[in-house]
Amino acid sequence: QKEVEQDPGPLSVPEGAIVSLNCTYSNSAFQYFMWYRQYSRKGPELLMYTYSSGNKEDGRFTAQVDKSSKYISLFIRDSQPSDSATYLCAINRGAQKLVFGQGTRLTINP
Amino acid sequence: EAGVTQFPSHSVIEKGQTVTLRCDPISGHDNLYWYRRVMGKEIKFLLHFVKESKQDESGMPNNRFLAERTGGTYSTLKVQPAELEDSGVYFCASSPPGQGRHEQFFGPGTRLTVL
């Protein structure tokens, strides 16, 4: 079983829609959760970083962690064509070793 | 502030040849990481330097891969001899010193193609 599971998509939604991206993880000991955004031919860029359970909001982006179900989510409100990218969830496995999901390719259609 | 830089951006080599990838971390970042993404798979951890010391090299696939970080600044990752399955995108990341700093900043990657 993979430590982090993420549906690779692709996911295509119209501009302005609310987008929900999700990952599940296997080890309840994980504490640090991240979302990275990666544009084509670029490196991953850190979007959101949360510790333990709860929500964290940054502009149009909300990251949510549900430790009871081992489920992490990223919500994008009022989605824009510039949000089209691959979104990667990542967990800090300890000693700063990141474990990534496969990434979900998102397209926002004008 | 300059981000993490990697060189070359793309390398095409034949099986059996040697390739050396370079990473320059963000200035002042003691932590440097190498990751790899092979086709259709997730990004996977290779190793972690703290300054010039290897903190964790549990993700290195085999002894054909050699990473160095002399002087604790830039790092190189050498693949010798390269095999077809080594093709993929190699990412370098860095993070500031100190405990509790979990954000890692990634470079654009080196796309390696082994023919």
Side-chain angles (χ1 to χ4, degrees):
Chain A
Q1 182 190 10
K2 287 185 180 179
E3 291 184 288
V4 180
E5 297 270 8
Q6 182 177 11
D7 186 342
L11 180 63
S12 181
V13 301
E15 183 176 355
I18 295 174
V19 177
S20 171
L21 302 166
N22 310 291
C23 290
T24 58
Y25 62 94
S26 59
N27 190 331
S28 57
F30 293 149
Q31 296 273 43
Y32 299 94
F33 306 92
M34 293 127 201
W35 283 95
Y36 282 84
R37 177 176 62 195
Q38 185 179 16
Y39 292 112
S40 181
R41 303 285 173 161
K42 303 285 187 182
E45 167 198 13
L46 182 65
L47 258 185
M48 305 280 287
Y49 158 53
T50 54
Y51 169 71
S52 196
S53 282
N55 290 2
K56 186 172 184 179
E57 190 173 319
D58 184 2
R60 296 184 294 108
F61 297 88
T62 300
Q64 191 173 77
V65 177
D66 182 346
K67 293 200 77 180
S68 62
S69 57
K70 291 184 268 187
Y71 199 81
I72 58 176
S73 302
L74 178 71
F75 299 97
I76 308 174
R77 290 185 301 281
D78 187 25
S79 55
Q80 305 294 311
S82 59
D83 295 329
S84 299
T86 295
Y87 289 80
L88 303 136
C89 61
I91 290 167
N92 191 316
R93 199 187 180 284
Q96 304 205 38
K97 174 179 175 178
L98 294 185
V99 179
F100 283 89
Q102 199 170 345
T104 300
R105 182 178 294 180
L106 173 67
T107 301
I108 309 296
N109 300 302
Chain B
E1 180 184 89
V4 177
T5 57
Q6 293 187 245
F7 182 82
S9 57
H10 194 179
S11 180
V12 181
I13 61 172
E14 304 235 333
K15 175 182 169 179
Q17 289 185 321
T18 297
V19 63
T20 300
L21 314 180
R22 174 172 168 143
C23 168
D24 287 79
I26 293 171
S27 177
H29 282 195
D30 286 353
N31 296 287
L32 187 149
Y33 315 82
W34 284 98
Y35 291 84
R36 175 174 77 167
R37 183 170 195 159
V38 297
M39 181 78 76
K41 301 282 190 180
E42 65 274 15
I43 297 173
K44 285 195 173 176
F45 170 86
L46 295 179
L47 89 161
H48 170 206
F49 283 100
V50 177
K51 297 186 180 178
E52 65 273 12
S53 299
K54 290 176 186 173
Q55 184 77 13
D56 180 355
E57 51 184 330
S58 61
M60 295 287 264
N62 51 60
N63 59 10
R64 295 186 294 102
F65 289 75
L66 175 64
E68 295 181 320
R69 193 182 181 196
T70 308
T73 55
Y74 72 91
S75 175
T76 58
L77 179 65
K78 181 191 286 188
V79 185
Q80 179 183 29
E83 298 289 346
L84 298 179
E85 65 264 24
D86 300 332
S87 295
V89 182
Y90 290 76
F91 293 104
C92 175
S94 71
S95 68
Q99 294 293 322
R101 298 301 300 268
H102 298 275
E103 308 95 317
Q104 295 183 17
F105 300 88
F106 281 74
T110 293
R111 184 173 298 272
L112 174 64
T113 303
V114 182
L115 301 176

